[in-house]
Amino acid sequence: MPITLDVRLDGFDQPIGHLFGDDRGGVAFAYRPDYLARPDAMAISMSLPLSETGYGDPPTRAYFDNLLQERDTARADIIAKYDIANDDIAGILLHLGKDCSGAISVLPEGAPATKVPGDLLADYVPLADDRLIAIIQSLHERRALPADVQDPSPLAGVQSKIAVTRLPDGRFAEPREGSGAPTTHILKVPDDRHRRDALHEHAAMELSRSFGFPTASTSVVEIGGISVLAVERFDRKIDQDGRIIRRHQEDFCQALGLPARQKYERRGTEGRRFDAVAVGQLLDQTIDPAVEKRLFVEETFFDLLIGNVDGHAKNFSIFHLPGNRIHSTPRYDVMPTMLDRGTTDEFAYRIGNAELLNALSWDAVDDFLAALGFSSRAGRRRLAGDIVPATIRRLNEKIEDIAAEYLKDFADLLATNIRTTCRRLDIEIPTPAGDRDTFVR
């Protein structure tokens, strides 16, 4: 039957809009007039800009479906329990919408807000060691969480993870039941086949930060004999009253109006996919497009060289600010995925016509820059000639440091990728990259 749900944005006292579901599973969205009249109103998505006219099914479905977890256990449970169709987004969000990740929540019409600022001294309960170990062991073994554990912020992605809060004394805590308080950290827990993932991702994130890229802070913590990556949430901040509040952001899938299944370029179609053209058009709308585009290019070649070929559309995000201003968020999911021999080495988005590192060429790089919107051929040559060799040189200088951290495989992968890139682009192979063992996929 038809359903109307309130869409709330943390920080606003009243709903900002409504999600409508019809009796055939179709959905629509509209902003509330009183929200549109506010000077501090911001769009929930670049694919759903502020407008008095509502939005129909395709853009509405793409955005709200992206709020749900990619690991669909909870979704499957709700579908089975209430006999809901898999594509009935409004029906599913009726039951799961209060726990959407980020600052958005979707609630029954008239329901009170379920997301509010958090007081570190009053709104959190420290996790006892045995309870924390039980949670981490469950995630490590890909089992259901202990019966009394409710993940306060179910997270997108396929890695096992849970949202927690880190108290000033360093202990991890969970929000008091019913508090609606935000979490501050994400704990990423590897399975037994990927025990060193936390070390690899932490090293990659530290490398990213050393390049000057805005990057979420990470640390490796040992819990129950398992190396866990603790990631400080970039979408949180402290307000003037010392409370933790959520910052509104969305990933590139949402911003481009793409369903999560199209987060890789290869899964889309021309004009409706995550590719350089779409990214360029998106970044053209940011506060400083020239800076944002150069940063994207720098991060792209950094990622390809370190073996992070999983930079899909849900691993890039933008902040929404009052006045309909946007800018990119810090990097938050930088992983040398090529270390896992069971994964593809195909790029998440093409560099020109190149889908693999061993297909890279200067023409492909030029086509990539042109697609992003760099119109001058001479300017593209200068940009490529500046960024690519400099990235190779700086990463080459980090190889021995990575190897010294007992990460020989990562160091070998980086060296192998540098050699491949140098051969493809006719650049002299530097030492120590030229002397290390080959990482064989």
Side-chain angles (χ1 to χ4, degrees):
M1 67 178 183
I3 186 173
T4 299
L5 302 174
D6 287 343
V7 177
R8 285 183 172 268
L9 178 58
D10 194 15
F12 293 90
D13 293 335
Q14 299 298 320
I16 66 166
H18 297 291
L19 176 66
F20 306 97
D22 63 29
D23 54 10
R24 295 170 297 173
V27 288
F29 171 74
Y31 291 101
R32 284 170 48 129
D34 56 346
Y35 178 70
L36 291 171
R38 294 183 59 136
D40 57 350
M42 64 182 82
I44 61 171
S45 174
M46 293 182 68
S47 62
L48 300 170
L50 294 176
S51 172
E52 294 180 357
T53 303
Y55 294 92
D57 190 281
T60 300
R61 179 176 300 277
Y63 177 79
F64 285 94
D65 192 31
N66 268 291
L67 293 177
L68 296 166
Q69 300 179 68
E70 287 181 82
R71 277 180 173 266
D72 59 0
T73 302
R75 180 176 182 155
D77 289 346
I78 291 297
I79 288 171
K81 183 176 181 178
Y82 296 100
D83 193 24
I84 300 172
N86 186 57
D87 61 353
D88 184 0
I89 300 300
I92 295 168
L93 284 170
L94 172 65
H95 302 282
L96 295 179
K98 69 182 180 65
D99 290 325
C100 296
S101 62
I104 296 289
S105 52
V106 183
L107 304 169
E109 192 173 21
T114 57
K115 293 184 176 182
V116 297
D119 183 333
L120 277 173
L121 299 179
D123 291 333
Y124 301 92
V125 180
L127 283 161
D129 289 347
D130 57 348
R131 181 177 173 83
L132 180 58
I133 290 171
I135 291 171
I136 297 304
Q137 287 285 357
S138 295
L139 293 171
H140 174 67
E141 297 170 8
R142 301 298 191 256
R143 293 186 285 106
L145 291 171
D148 61 339
V149 173
Q150 284 291 326
D151 187 345
S153 182
L155 300 157
V158 297
Q159 288 179 292
S160 286
K161 60 189 81 167
I162 191 167
V164 296
T165 293
R166 199 161 208 170
L167 300 176
D169 62 8
R171 289 181 297 169
F172 291 113
E174 53 192 340
R176 291 188 185 279
E177 187 174 357
S179 69
T183 54
T184 64
H185 285 71
I186 296 165
L187 298 182
K188 292 186 174 183
V189 185
D191 62 23
D192 198 55
R193 195 169 68 88
H194 302 91
R195 276 186 170 269
R196 294 173 64 81
D197 272 8
L199 303 176
H200 292 144
E201 186 167 0
H202 176 61
M205 296 280 278
E206 288 289 292
L207 269 179
S208 176
R209 192 173 298 106
S210 76
F211 267 61
F213 302 145
T215 306
S217 297
T218 60
S219 61
V220 177
V221 292
E222 293 291 326
I223 302 175
I226 300 167
S227 294
V228 175
L229 187 72
V231 185
E232 185 175 351
R233 299 192 67 145
F234 66 87
D235 56 345
R236 303 292 190 257
K237 66 178 181 179
I238 304 297
D239 70 5
Q240 64 272 16
D241 298 319
R243 302 175 303 172
I244 303 167
I245 60 174
R246 299 170 177 89
R247 299 186 66 183
H248 179 40
Q249 52 82 29
E250 65 172 336
D251 64 47
F252 277 21
C253 259
Q254 294 168 307
L256 295 172
L258 299 174
R261 67 184 67 90
Q262 290 183 7
K263 63 184 179 181
Y264 297 102
E265 178 174 348
R266 56 186 174 270
R267 294 182 182 169
T269 57
E270 188 171 356
R272 184 169 169 75
R273 64 189 180 195
F274 173 55
D275 60 11
V277 171
V279 171
Q281 293 170 348
L282 182 62
L283 297 181
D284 275 337
Q285 301 175 67
T286 58
I287 294 171
D288 195 336
V291 169
E292 294 276 14
K293 286 185 178 181
R294 182 184 176 102
L295 180 62
F296 184 80
V297 174
E298 291 173 338
E299 292 173 347
T300 292
F301 287 100
F302 171 92
D303 284 347
L304 299 186
L305 284 163
I306 70 165
N308 176 26
V309 293
D310 200 39
H312 54 67
K314 294 192 75 65
N315 283 343
F316 292 94
S317 293
I318 56 168
F319 279 129
H320 283 267
L321 307 172
N324 275 327
R325 297 174 300 137
I326 63 168
H327 67 80
S328 60
T329 70
R331 288 155 63 75
Y332 52 90
D333 203 340
V334 184
M335 176 74 179
T337 54
M338 289 177 70
L339 287 172
D340 184 348
R341 293 175 175 84
T343 62
T344 181
D345 54 1
E346 185 177 346
F347 299 161
Y349 50 94
R350 296 186 184 95
I351 308 302
N353 63 356
E355 299 177 352
L356 304 168
L357 198 60
N358 62 14
L360 198 64
S361 68
W362 283 118
D363 285 343
V365 173
D366 186 71
D367 289 344
F368 173 66
L369 297 179
L372 280 170
F374 293 96
S375 58
S376 165
R377 182 170 178 80
R380 296 197 299 270
R381 284 181 175 177
R382 287 193 299 271
L383 187 64
D386 178 19
I387 290 175
V388 177
T391 305
I392 290 171
R393 174 182 54 77
R394 293 182 64 186
L395 283 172
N396 181 67
E397 293 170 352
K398 299 289 187 179
I399 288 176
E400 297 300 333
D401 292 338
I402 294 172
E405 295 176 3
Y406 304 101
L407 299 174
K408 179 184 183 300
D409 50 355
F410 188 10
D412 288 346
L413 172 64
L414 177 54
T416 301
N417 286 346
I418 287 175
R419 292 197 300 267
T420 299
T421 303
C422 288
R423 291 182 184 121
R424 294 294 306 175
L425 302 181
D426 197 22
I427 297 172
E428 183 178 356
I429 298 174
T431 301
D435 300 331
R436 290 200 64 87
D437 293 341
T438 296
F439 181 86
V440 180
R441 290 274 295 165

